[in-house]
Amino acid sequence: MMEGFIAKLSNISNRDLVNEGAQEFCLKLNTKSNRKKLVRALYGVSRNRLDLLPFHARLVRTLSPILPDIPTDLFTLLKKEFIYHLRKKDQNNLETKVKNIRFIGELCKFEMCEKSDALWCLRVLLEQFTHHNIEIACSLVECCGRYLFRSTDTHLKTNHLLDQMMRKKAVHNLDTRQITMVENAYYYCNPPDRVAYVKKVRPPLHEYIRKLLIKDLNKNNIEKILRQFRKLPWQDDEVAMYAVKCLCRVWNVKYNNIYCVASLLAGLAQFQETIGILVVDNVLEAIRIGMEINQPHYNQRRVAEAKLLGELYNYRMVESNIIFNTLYLVISFGSLPDATNPIDLPQDMIRTRLVLTILETCGQYFEKGSLKKKCDIFLLFFQKYLFTKVQPLPIDVEYSIQDTLESIRPHIAMYPTAAEVDLAIAEISPQLKNLLGSQEDAEETEEDEDTETEDQAGDETPDENDEEVKVNKKLETVKCEEDDEFIAELERTMTSELTGRKMDSTVNKVNSSDLALPMNRGFKGHKIDGNSVQFSVMMKKGQKQQFKKMDIPVESEFASNLFDKQKAVVREREEMKRLVLSQEMRQEEEELMAEQLDQHKSSGVTYRAGERKQKPRKAPQLTTDMFNFSSAK
């Protein structure tokens, strides 16, 4: 049975097994020979099973009240082995030495040996502080050093020995590994003094805003938190600015909940438009400042800001032009021709991650029309930017690029060299020029229209003191074959459309009575010479609306239909007047009957059926006064 119990010692790994083993040994195996065998088994534990030493020491402590000879014999064996290795001074069996000294430390913590014995071992090791003795001393300090340092009776001695160990570390020529080992052991026992963290005191309303955004916000309660945000005192500038500050600092929110912040902001902007504008401006400014500073410890917040910008586009808080301007700014900010970008080194991959984050967030919406062309053109320049980085790219960055491009452009052509990318960009350069030229023409047309509007509103008198007038030459538009083809196709389309409308007009004539009159002018009908009616016709010239007078014969279909409508309106008003008057009379009769019944009840006089007291009626209110109708002429 004793051999089976000794075999179980290697499986003791918790307190319950230790208690069961101690109970079994005391009840079934408590003999002198078995106690010696147990001491030899504990002493001969494998040097690779340092995890068993605390449980073996606990077993010894559990048996010590009944069997006090077991801890004494075990410590005697361990101390003899320690002295043997210390005197031999060889550089072998380091694991055995470490196992021995750690076992002594565990027994010291369970008070199975005197504290003075553990301090004696440490003092002896410090006297010969070289080679293996350094690691043995550090193992002893890590095992029971804190226990000795915190004990009141051994604090001073332990503190003295620890200071001596640090002085020897500074005097002896130790390697980096040994220096690190000594410092770790020392600061494990005597940690350096640290200033207590002072929690920032905020107003209760500020704490509530932080709680809503940082702790409570998730996809299930966006509407609830939006209602709470709408209840904030937005007229208070301090509260409004703090709310904007919290909405901009999205790195405090969980990364997967950033889209919730964008959704909350989109709902809040419908009621507080200024808040949405301020948040968008702050995010764009923060992205630019991050590229100017380019500090690695800001990388996490920079990625969060890029994620928020993409989500703001998804919720229609920003336009696509802002997204593409930001993407081009990221890959070109601070770049110099034929020189390395000083704030974007070849081994720095943060800008690549920013671009990938934005494309991954909102790139799926760039799949049709002009947005698809803009995205394809940007991806070419992005490939050119990637060749300015260290080749080959880091494996995680390369996988991120592949995943992002696969999600937005599965069939995109990836060029293996920078020369091929430059050639592809040169091929699309004419398209870029045409695109830019069309945009400039559109801007010039808008400016010309604005100028004509200002001239029509009022001529400005020139200043007599102006001596020089500079005239900017208008940019010339370069014509190409595509423009001629487009104009010819447009003329054919317009011709066919006009022909079709003429054919439709002969078949289906438009009823002139269905034409709408201008709401701001109204109809002013009066006969001229008894044969015509005067109307006001609205016409548009440039950006202004003009009204002209036109005489239409009375016998025309348009005038007759209009007169019929006027008569119908008059009849409707008369009918409304009749209904209102009858309703008033009915209400007065009911009120009179109610008053007579009250008088009968109070006086006790009864009337026969059909009799009622006469009362003069009030003059009815005019229907025209009630509904603000003007009298028909």
PDB file of all heavy atoms in Angstrom, residues 469-473:
ATOM      1  N   VAL A 469      -8.120  97.249 -63.568  1.00  0.00           N
ATOM      2  CA  VAL A 469      -9.088  96.163 -63.617  1.00  0.00           C
ATOM      3  C   VAL A 469      -8.433  94.981 -64.295  1.00  0.00           C
ATOM      4  O   VAL A 469      -8.004  95.081 -65.448  1.00  0.00           O
ATOM      5  CB  VAL A 469     -10.369  96.579 -64.399  1.00  0.00           C
ATOM      6  CG1 VAL A 469     -11.325  95.403 -64.480  1.00  0.00           C
ATOM      7  CG2 VAL A 469     -11.013  97.787 -63.747  1.00  0.00           C
ATOM      8  N   LYS A 470      -8.325  93.876 -63.556  1.00  0.00           N
ATOM      9  CA  LYS A 470      -7.678  92.677 -64.089  1.00  0.00           C
ATOM     10  C   LYS A 470      -8.750  91.731 -64.575  1.00  0.00           C
ATOM     11  O   LYS A 470      -9.705  91.428 -63.856  1.00  0.00           O
ATOM     12  CB  LYS A 470      -6.836  92.006 -63.011  1.00  0.00           C
ATOM     13  CG  LYS A 470      -5.676  92.874 -62.534  1.00  0.00           C
ATOM     14  CD  LYS A 470      -4.858  92.132 -61.510  1.00  0.00           C
ATOM     15  CE  LYS A 470      -3.668  92.990 -61.037  1.00  0.00           C
ATOM     16  NZ  LYS A 470      -2.861  92.294 -60.032  1.00  0.00           N
ATOM     17  N   VAL A 471      -8.576  91.243 -65.776  1.00  0.00           N
ATOM     18  CA  VAL A 471      -9.529  90.324 -66.377  1.00  0.00           C
ATOM     19  C   VAL A 471      -8.838  88.981 -66.539  1.00  0.00           C
ATOM     20  O   VAL A 471      -7.783  88.894 -67.187  1.00  0.00           O
ATOM     21  CB  VAL A 471     -10.027  90.839 -67.755  1.00  0.00           C
ATOM     22  CG1 VAL A 471     -10.997  89.841 -68.366  1.00  0.00           C
ATOM     23  CG2 VAL A 471     -10.663  92.211 -67.598  1.00  0.00           C
ATOM     24  N   ASN A 472      -9.416  87.950 -65.903  1.00  0.00           N
ATOM     25  CA  ASN A 472      -8.865  86.611 -66.029  1.00  0.00           C
ATOM     26  C   ASN A 472      -9.359  85.970 -67.314  1.00  0.00           C
ATOM     27  O   ASN A 472     -10.557  85.987 -67.618  1.00  0.00           O
ATOM     28  CB  ASN A 472      -9.282  85.751 -64.832  1.00  0.00           C
ATOM     29  CG  ASN A 472      -8.698  86.292 -63.540  1.00  0.00           C
ATOM     30  OD1 ASN A 472      -7.594  86.824 -63.547  1.00  0.00           O
ATOM     31  ND2 ASN A 472      -9.446  86.156 -62.437  1.00  0.00           N
ATOM     32  N   LYS A 473      -8.451  85.437 -68.057  1.00  0.00           N
ATOM     33  CA  LYS A 473      -8.792  84.789 -69.319  1.00  0.00           C
ATOM     34  C   LYS A 473      -9.508  83.476 -69.050  1.00  0.00           C
ATOM     35  O   LYS A 473      -9.078  82.676 -68.231  1.00  0.00           O
ATOM     36  CB  LYS A 473      -7.521  84.526 -70.133  1.00  0.00           C
ATOM     37  CG  LYS A 473      -7.816  83.964 -71.510  1.00  0.00           C
ATOM     38  CD  LYS A 473      -6.524  83.772 -72.290  1.00  0.00           C
ATOM     39  CE  LYS A 473      -6.793  83.196 -73.683  1.00  0.00           C
ATOM     40  NZ  LYS A 473      -5.554  82.979 -74.434  1.00  0.00           N
TER      41      LYS A 473
END
